[in-house]
Amino acid sequence: RGSTEYNEQLATERANSVVSWLAEAGITTDRLDLRSFGERKAGQDLHSEEALQSNRRVDVSVQAYQWAI
């Protein structure tokens, strides 16, 4: 397990990878809201390896496309 700073950097890289993948899939980045939290907002306690793995996540919201008429 790395330092908080190292883990934050990994979380940012993970979020950027998700953005890239979604953009390649055709979703414009202006429709995306991505957040990576890591240790700052843990979904589980940090006492087991399983809990640590579940906190390695990126929360993604994709906004509905606004059709121009």
Side-chain angles (χ1 to χ4, degrees), residues 19 22 28 37 50-52 56 62:
V19 168
L22 291 170
T28 57
F37 299 105
E50 185 177 317
L52 288 168
R56 295 179 189 129
V62 179

Side-chain angles (χ1 to χ4, degrees), residues 1 3-6 8 12 14-15 17 21 24-25 27 34 36-38 42-43 45 49 54-57 64 68-69:
R1 208 173 142 191
S3 68
T4 299
E5 293 81 17
Y6 176 77
E8 291 292 326
T12 299
R14 188 176 294 117
S17 293
W21 187 89
E24 288 175 19
I27 298 174
L34 277 83
S36 59
F37 299 105
D45 67 36
E49 184 58 33
S54 71
N55 284 321
R56 295 179 189 129
R57 70 190 193 284
I69 298 177

Side-chain angles (χ1 to χ4, degrees), residues 2-65:
S3 68
T4 299
E5 293 81 17
Y6 176 77
N7 290 329
E8 291 292 326
Q9 179 62 34
L10 285 178
T12 299
E13 291 173 12
R14 188 176 294 117
N16 289 337
S17 293
V18 171
V19 168
S20 295
W21 187 89
L22 291 170
E24 288 175 19
I27 298 174
T28 57
T29 57
D30 62 327
R31 296 176 52 207
L32 300 175
D33 179 29
L34 277 83
R35 298 170 191 229
S36 59
F37 299 105
E39 295 176 350
R40 289 181 292 125
K41 188 175 178 183
Q44 304 263 342
D45 67 36
L46 301 175
H47 294 97
S48 71
E49 184 58 33
E50 185 177 317
L52 288 168
Q53 287 178 6
S54 71
N55 284 321
R56 295 179 189 129
R57 70 190 193 284
V58 175
D59 295 340
V60 180
S61 295
V62 179
Q63 304 300 315
Y65 184 77

